[in-house]
Amino acid sequence: MPKNKLIINHKSFTLRFVEGLVVSILVGLSIVTGQLSLVAGEVSPLEKAQNDYSFQTTKFQDVKEKYQTARSSYLTFKTATAKNEAFLKSKDYLTQVHNLYIAYLFLINERANTVDWSKTTYERQKVSDQVTAEIKFLEDDKKKAQDAQTLEEIPKLASDLAIHISTVTLKTAFITLATTDLAQIEDVTTSFDETATKVDTYSQKLNINEQFHLNWKSEVETIKTKTKDATQDPKKKLDTAISLGNYPYKSNNFEFDTSLARQILSRTKSLLREITNYQ
């Protein structure tokens, strides 16, 4: 995920985009869920989004290098030819910044599509609408960069984009990632509860030790309770961040982590099998 910072030198008409991972936003969040296509050879929407993001990231590095070369040449020679080349490469660079963010938003939106939102307390449509609106904005804003005619136009376009990224784009990304993370945990917890009930009904037909059966049911309830408890803090932090606008990239002390809940849920698969295999 690109960082939310564009640095513009208005005097020399240059811009520098600082790329990397917004670690503070993504602590505890997994972009890739592993829920890819089930049919051999078929490319799922999530895989397609992952591939495109990878492609745009690689292209970004290439465009960046060409921009840096053109910038250096212009600052050294100050010729009209060098200025025109700097303009073209700066425009390409700014355009690719848009492409990279758009690809990232598509990726996190496809990740959200892997969740069964009907089993959660969150609204998928609300999250989807925010991402869709942000993608449209970036697509429209990209056209402004592509339509620029002079190098002097680039700094203002870059500055406007930097402000928008800081106030809207990263906010949308965080809400989408955090909400999806919590919704995914609720989805898995609900599915576990439904499956455990079915397994319990089936196990009653088997000759299973009653004490073991009671302990098994107790463990099921413990996992559900501990998972719920483990998500209380992340939920409060998400709610607070939304209500106060105190998003992670604005604070070095902000942590959003659902790894404990995921660790607890990792026990569910073996537990469901355990009772049917008990001798």
Side-chain angles (χ1 to χ4, degrees):
M1 168 65 182
K3 278 189 177 178
N4 59 317
K5 194 171 184 181
L6 283 167
I7 299 177
I8 304 101
N9 182 327
H10 292 268
K11 294 183 179 180
S12 59
F13 304 106
T14 64
L15 71 140
R16 178 168 63 87
F17 184 80
V18 183
E19 73 287 355
L21 293 177
V22 184
V23 179
S24 59
I25 289 184
L26 303 180
V27 172
L29 300 182
S30 171
I31 298 175
V32 181
T33 64
Q35 299 178 30
L36 305 179
S37 61
L38 299 179
V39 182
E42 178 184 350
V43 178
S44 72
L46 179 57
E47 285 177 306
K48 183 177 179 181
Q50 289 170 335
N51 292 338
D52 184 54
Y53 179 65
S54 177
F55 170 77
Q56 296 298 343
T57 300
T58 300
K59 185 176 180 181
F60 176 84
Q61 295 298 329
D62 179 60
V63 172
K64 173 187 174 182
E65 291 175 4
K66 291 178 179 178
Y67 155 75
Q68 290 175 327
T69 299
R71 172 182 179 276
S72 177
S73 178
Y74 170 57
L75 294 177
T76 299
F77 300 107
K78 299 290 186 179
T79 65
T81 299
K83 180 177 181 179
N84 186 63
E85 184 66 11
F87 161 65
L88 293 175
K89 299 309 179 186
S90 295
K91 186 164 70 169
D92 289 345
Y93 193 22
L94 187 56
T95 297
Q96 189 55 28
V97 170
H98 287 85
N99 289 338
L100 189 57
Y101 273 102
I102 289 169
Y104 182 73
L105 289 172
F106 269 118
L107 175 56
I108 63 177
N109 195 49
E110 284 302 331
R111 184 217 176 198
N113 286 335
T114 65
V115 177
D116 184 350
W117 292 78
S118 66
K119 294 182 178 181
T120 78
T121 58
Y122 296 95
E123 297 180 43
R124 173 67 180 108
Q125 193 61 47
K126 184 176 181 180
V127 175
S128 179
D129 288 347
Q130 291 177 333
V131 176
T132 300
E134 184 56 18
I135 290 174
K136 184 180 185 305
F137 173 87
L138 291 174
E139 289 283 9
D140 292 341
D141 194 66
K142 180 174 68 173
K143 293 177 182 178
K144 296 179 183 179
Q146 295 172 327
D147 293 340
Q149 298 297 312
T150 66
L151 183 61
E152 285 76 6
E153 296 174 64
I154 300 299
K156 178 61 165 59
L157 292 172
S159 178
D160 290 346
L161 177 60
I163 293 172
H164 182 82
I165 287 173
S166 296
T167 58
V168 181
T169 306
L170 293 182
K171 182 185 297 184
T172 300
F174 171 70
I175 292 175
T176 302
L177 284 166
T179 304
T180 299
D181 218 42
L182 290 169
Q184 187 179 62
I185 290 172
E186 287 189 1
D187 176 15
V188 173
T189 303
T190 301
S191 297
F192 168 61
D193 187 31
E194 293 173 348
T195 305
T197 299
K198 293 178 181 178
V199 171
D200 183 36
T201 300
Y202 170 74
S203 67
Q204 293 176 20
K205 300 177 182 179
L206 305 176
N207 185 25
I208 296 178
N209 179 275
E210 182 178 356
Q211 192 62 52
F212 173 81
H213 186 202
L214 290 174
N215 280 307
W216 180 86
K217 292 177 66 174
S218 175
E219 184 63 18
V220 169
E221 293 302 316
T222 296
I223 287 178
K224 289 160 54 178
T225 299
K226 286 186 176 181
T227 300
K228 182 178 180 179
D229 291 343
T231 58
Q232 293 308 301
D233 183 61
K235 285 182 178 180
K236 288 180 180 179
K237 287 184 175 179
L238 173 59
D239 291 341
T240 300
I242 292 175
S243 63
L244 300 180
N246 182 30
Y247 291 90
Y249 59 85
K250 293 183 179 181
S251 171
N252 293 328
N253 297 322
F254 191 103
E255 290 187 6
F256 180 87
D257 189 359
T258 59
S259 60
L260 177 58
R262 293 178 179 278
Q263 181 181 357
I264 295 169
L265 287 172
S266 66
R267 170 89 171 90
T268 58
K269 188 175 182 180
S270 60
L271 183 63
L272 290 172
R273 291 177 175 174
E274 191 174 349
I275 191 168
T276 56
N277 293 333
Y278 181 76
Q279 299 295 328

